[in-house]
Amino acid sequence: MMESGVPICNICGEQVGLANTNGEAFVACHECNYPVCKTCLDYEIREGRNACLRCATPYDENEQESTNHAIVVSHPDTAQDVGVHARTVSTVSTVDSEYYDDTGNPIWKNRVESWKEKKNKKKKNQSKAVVQEAAEVPPEQQMEEKPQLADAAEPLSRIIPVPKSQITPYRIVIIVRLIVLCLFFHYRVTHPVESAYPLWFISVFCEIWFAFSWVLDQFPKWSPINRETYLDRLSARYEREGEPCQLAPVDFFVSTVDPMKEPPLITANTVLSILAVDYPVEKVSCYVSDDGGSMLTFESLAETSEFARKWVPFCKKFSIEPRAPEFYFTQKFDYLKDKVQPSFVKERRVMKREYEEYKVRVNALVAKAQKTPEDGWTMADGTPWPGNNPRDHPGMIQVFLGHSGVHDIEGNELPRLVYVSREKRPGYQHHKKAGAENALIRVSAVLTNAPYILNLDCDHYVNNSKAIREAMCFLMDPQVGRDVCYVQFPQRFDGIDKSDRYANRNIVFFDVNMKGLDGIQGPVYVGTGTVFNRQALYGYSPSNLPTIHKSSSSFSCCCRRKKPAKEKDLTEVYREAKREDLNSAIFNLREIENYDDHERSLLISQMSFEKTFGMSSVFIESTLMENGGVPDSANPSTLIREAIHVIGCGYEEKTAWGKEIGWIYGSVTEDILTGFKMQCRGWRSIYCMPLRPAFKGSAPINLSDRLHQVLRWALGSVEIFLSRHCPLWYGFGGGRLKWLQRLAYTNTIVYPFTSLPLIAYCILPAVCLLTGKFIIPTLSNVASILFLGLFLSIIVTSVLELRWSGIGIEDWWRNEQFWVIGGVSAHLFAVFQGFLKMLAGIDTNFTVTAKAADDGEFADLYLFKWTTVLIPPTTILIVNLVGVVAGFSDALNKGYEAWGPLFGKVFFSFWVILHLYPFLKGLMGRQNRTPTIVVLWSVLLASVFSLVWVKINPFVSKDDPSAMVQNCIDMDC
């Protein structure tokens, strides 16, 4: 048990311990009190790092002397010492017997020890030089630097919890609603409706499932939080005047497939917004993945790189927002606001004309690409385009811009822009977007190897030029970012109608659910607008996790050697113990640049990293560099050849790509699966919501396209549910996924199955109206109180949720409506297609949704595309409308006594129709385009049906005495 009040070391996760002198907690840095234990401080000083990790203040000399003395006396065991600080790797093979010498000691260990001795000598010489330089600095200048260090030592972000006046009533109502639900179900189960037993049974089953879904969705929102970042402190710490910029490099990933459905102009705007981002140019690299191998995408990027030479300096000179030209020039606002330079109007006019000419050139390329030549496309030099066959072509890489290459019109450097199209061959599984993203990981690792990666869809541009700095406030904070695998930004969209008819903005998910997850272990990964820690994508676990006991590791090794056939059946605990065998080797291999080529190749092959990362020594070496970067001696031509090698279609065979490292395969929603695997390893994520949205994209606002998009997401969830990665049973052994977080992930893969009870519940009101039966018996006083309490708890929960989240009632209502629309259509098809894929092997291919409207504002909103997904909700609408007409006709026929029972039936039927109202509008299109003849025919058919229904009365038995009496009364006999 840990003692209360003793801080935890931010390096190893153990207690810092007590000082020998006064019994107080050990303090390594007296400037900022950054918690570091004695063992870690010994190691830092031994490695030559004599300054605090947080504030960069040199450690006290007396403290160094005491720690050095402790090193001489204690001599801790190397393997044990390393095990505390080591990272773990997912699925790396064990050390074979060939790696041991005759005495049983590891061969690599002796080499590492000799390398460390040489490195220590080098560090000592460097530290002496630093001390001499510091002695030459005048004391006055040292005093001036102290306040700057103090400012830089402050945290880069802070958590703003929801006020107790808002969150406490919210939690109380949740508990009250749970209690009311239990009492409600007790009443429903113990009071069956004998006259309509099948209807009662179906309704109770549906209600129990809805309650289960509510628990999965509600309780992960128990502790929502907000966050605030301090960009000025980030600059004060890492961008000091007169010193080299210490901000971490970032590699941007942009993925596209078909330029005919994802217009090149939209992709180009995304690329331009990245190149103009407010971040040091030498720290930015943009990789565009063209998974279709299209020459149109290649040529449009060439035009984009030329236009970027003018656009980037214009953006940075006048600090414009957003930095995507299409969306900047179409904004309806006063563009002279906050602009003080007289030349701005003139230069803006010139730049707008340049952009219009650029658009003409890109549109000309699109028009040219409408008809493919018989012999295929030919490049400017006359050679055939390698990607003429999109399913069979070699890997292609082209560097358009670079830090030391083309400059802008003002002579400044530009960020790197790289075109990548991975190799495609028949007979290979390419894994769609996830495979393309993994290819970009390897290419970027070879060429630039930035420690952080930001992935964007081709239609999501950078709306806030300081978005990367926002993410760095978490990732580069030594205290916060140590175990952060990614920073997720909310998705915001352009081009959506004000009423947001089909809930395209997903406000409830991004502003309510994600805030709740941020208070647990972090938000789920949503596929775009995410800044990753590259080490987390490589399958490493966070460095501050406690290590597994050595005995369990040895037990795992024994079990593995005795029963190799059952290795895949071991629990997560034993898999983690198995990885622990290589901890010390991985730890010592983090800095292998001092080895010569022969020693490096031997060491890498000995550790069998090829079985995990593939057959590329250059890439494997890059994975061991926590801070990124490529060797200064690297030959660019050699790196390009190696980059072509790592995007080969057979590179991932017999490796851990897509299984344990990179984007995970096995589902069309690879984003959920990838984030889930990371958090099962012990990582946490962070949700960042700056005042100005970081990224914006376009959404398919047409009804059919929107439903197909939801169908794809739901199908991916069903695939995860039917896979080994299902949150219901995966990752329990490690104990690193919090139970509320597991509830949230369970909700993400279970929600499509709600479509089955939802459809049944939406048809029940119509059946009740047509048959004269009802699912609820005659209500007593107690039952009335239970029903009233249930409805009030639902309303109060929603009101309090709106209060602490800040979203509007309209957004909440649109979300409720589309939950029903998507549930009875796309989710239902996803469930059946998921089971067909598992049982019969029938895979469903999805076409990419068109992102642009043809003409006019919101023209695509009213475009009707018939698809089979529309059949179930259309049927439910018609059945309920017919039921309402039949119910009112029957009540008019029977008299005033029938109006009371009719009210309850019609209430539920109107609930269904009201939720499906946006769907009905989508079927009708524009209101002023609805033909009058359709309305007249609807009224006529409804009237005829009512009269026929009253005359036939099919659900009343002819032998029923009450019916005979009623007929006599009606006929006045």
Side-chain angles (χ1 to χ4, degrees), residues 798-815:
S798 303
V799 169
L800 293 177
E801 198 168 271
L802 296 178
R803 185 184 175 198
W804 66 254
S805 64
I807 67 174
I809 185 66
E810 184 179 5
D811 293 318
W812 175 84
W813 174 238
R814 290 301 186 194
N815 180 78

Side-chain angles (χ1 to χ4, degrees), residues 689-881:
M689 297 182 64
L691 293 178
R692 180 180 179 85
F695 309 100
K696 278 191 174 183
S698 55
I701 60 176
N702 171 262
L703 174 61
S704 303
D705 292 339
R706 170 69 167 146
L707 288 178
H708 273 286
Q709 182 189 57
V710 175
L711 172 62
R712 178 182 178 276
W713 295 343
L715 178 59
S717 297
V718 175
E719 289 173 343
I720 297 174
F721 177 81
L722 300 174
S723 70
R724 71 183 185 92
H725 292 119
C726 179
L728 291 174
W729 52 73
Y730 181 83
F732 276 100
R736 297 171 179 176
L737 194 69
K738 297 183 179 180
W739 70 273
L740 283 179
Q741 193 80 9
R742 188 176 296 278
L743 276 184
Y745 274 111
T746 302
N747 187 42
T748 61
I749 57 103
V750 166
Y751 77 89
F753 297 95
T754 308
S755 59
L756 299 175
L758 184 60
I759 284 184
Y761 212 73
C762 287
I763 294 178
L764 278 177
V767 175
C768 292
L769 286 167
L770 293 173
T771 61
K773 309 293 185 181
F774 201 38
I775 58 177
I776 300 174
T778 303
L779 294 180
S780 62
N781 293 333
V782 176
S784 302
I785 294 174
L786 287 176
F787 275 92
L788 183 61
L790 181 60
F791 283 115
L792 286 178
S793 63
I794 293 174
I795 295 173
V796 174
T797 304
S798 303
V799 169
L800 293 177
E801 198 168 271
L802 296 178
R803 185 184 175 198
W804 66 254
S805 64
I807 67 174
I809 185 66
E810 184 179 5
D811 293 318
W812 175 84
W813 174 238
R814 290 301 186 194
N815 180 78
E816 292 295 311
Q817 286 180 313
F818 197 77
W819 175 75
V820 176
I821 295 172
V824 300
S825 56
H827 297 172
L828 178 68
F829 278 77
V831 171
F832 284 107
Q833 290 181 6
F835 278 99
L836 282 175
K837 183 177 181 180
M838 181 192 70
L839 298 176
I842 301 176
D843 196 2
T844 305
N845 294 322
F846 290 95
T847 57
V848 181
T849 304
K851 299 297 194 300
D854 295 331
D855 59 334
E857 189 177 15
F858 309 132
D860 197 39
L861 176 65
Y862 308 103
L863 181 63
F864 181 77
K865 301 177 183 178
W866 180 256
T867 173
T868 53
V869 180
L870 303 177
I871 295 177
T874 305
T875 304
I876 292 174
L877 262 176
I878 294 174
V879 168
N880 275 276
L881 289 173

Side-chain angles (χ1 to χ4, degrees), residues 652-670:
E652 294 183 356
E653 287 190 344
K654 298 181 180 180
T655 66
W657 284 102
K659 303 182 184 76
E660 297 293 335
I661 62 176
W663 271 259
I664 306 301
Y665 304 149
S667 171
V668 293
T669 53
E670 70 287 332

Side-chain angles (χ1 to χ4, degrees), residues 520-542:
I520 311 173
Q521 201 171 341
V524 298
Y525 169 40
V526 296
T528 184
T530 315
V531 184
F532 283 98
N533 183 337
R534 187 185 283 267
Q535 296 296 311
L537 285 171
Y538 287 157
Y540 292 108
S541 295

Side-chain angles (χ1 to χ4, degrees), residues 254 265-277 286-288 301 304-305 308 311-312 323 401 417 458 460-461:
V254 179
L265 196 60
I266 292 181
T267 304
N269 271 271
T270 301
V271 172
L272 289 169
S273 68
I274 293 173
L275 298 178
V277 73
C286 179
Y287 293 84
V288 179
L301 274 185
T304 301
S305 63
W311 174 251
V312 173
R323 300 190 176 183
L401 300 174
L417 175 60
C458 64
H460 276 71
Y461 63 91

Side-chain angles (χ1 to χ4, degrees), residues 144-164:
E144 292 176 358
E145 292 177 355
K146 281 288 185 180
Q148 296 180 0
L149 294 176
D151 294 338
E154 296 180 355
L156 303 180
S157 63
R158 72 183 181 101
I159 295 175
I160 306 177
V162 177
K164 291 185 178 180

Side-chain angles (χ1 to χ4, degrees), residues 505-730:
R505 293 190 178 92
N506 252 339
I507 295 295
V508 173
F509 175 76
F510 286 112
D511 288 27
V512 180
N513 296 52
M514 297 287 266
K515 284 183 179 180
L517 292 178
D518 199 17
I520 311 173
Q521 201 171 341
V524 298
Y525 169 40
V526 296
T528 184
T530 315
V531 184
F532 283 98
N533 183 337
R534 187 185 283 267
Q535 296 296 311
L537 285 171
Y538 287 157
Y540 292 108
S541 295
S543 58
N544 61 348
L545 278 182
T547 58
I548 298 176
H549 199 269
K550 185 177 286 187
S551 61
S552 65
S553 178
S554 61
F555 176 76
S556 174
C557 293
C558 294
C559 292
R560 183 176 59 251
R561 291 167 186 164
K562 290 181 180 179
K563 300 179 181 180
K566 296 184 178 180
E567 181 178 355
K568 294 183 179 179
D569 297 331
L570 296 176
T571 62
E572 187 69 18
V573 174
Y574 297 125
R575 282 196 291 265
E576 291 292 333
K578 170 184 159 185
R579 298 167 193 155
E580 199 72 10
D581 294 337
L582 294 180
N583 271 350
S584 55
I586 296 165
F587 179 74
N588 289 322
L589 283 173
R590 290 181 182 178
E591 301 178 21
I592 61 175
E593 67 273 8
N594 291 336
Y595 280 109
D596 56 33
D597 293 337
H598 179 67
E599 288 178 328
R600 184 185 298 113
S601 61
L602 283 178
L603 202 54
I604 291 174
S605 62
Q606 286 170 357
M607 298 311 303
S608 300
F609 271 39
E610 295 91 342
K611 294 181 181 179
T612 301
F613 296 111
M615 301 294 292
S616 172
S617 59
V618 176
F619 173 74
I620 293 173
E621 184 176 345
S622 71
T623 65
L624 302 172
M625 300 178 182
E626 289 188 64
N627 298 322
V630 295
D632 296 333
S633 59
N635 187 349
S637 60
T638 304
L639 294 181
I640 290 292
R641 286 197 299 270
E642 195 66 24
I644 291 290
H645 168 61
V646 299
I647 61 173
C649 58
Y651 182 84
E652 294 183 356
E653 287 190 344
K654 298 181 180 180
T655 66
W657 284 102
K659 303 182 184 76
E660 297 293 335
I661 62 176
W663 271 259
I664 306 301
Y665 304 149
S667 171
V668 293
T669 53
E670 70 287 332
D671 46 3
I672 297 292
L673 197 53
T674 302
F676 173 66
K677 292 275 287 187
M678 290 182 182
Q679 295 189 340
C680 282
R681 297 189 188 105
W683 294 95
R684 67 187 180 100
S685 55
I686 282 180
Y687 198 48
C688 182
M689 297 182 64
L691 293 178
R692 180 180 179 85
F695 309 100
K696 278 191 174 183
S698 55
I701 60 176
N702 171 262
L703 174 61
S704 303
D705 292 339
R706 170 69 167 146
L707 288 178
H708 273 286
Q709 182 189 57
V710 175
L711 172 62
R712 178 182 178 276
W713 295 343
L715 178 59
S717 297
V718 175
E719 289 173 343
I720 297 174
F721 177 81
L722 300 174
S723 70
R724 71 183 185 92
H725 292 119
C726 179
L728 291 174
W729 52 73
Y730 181 83

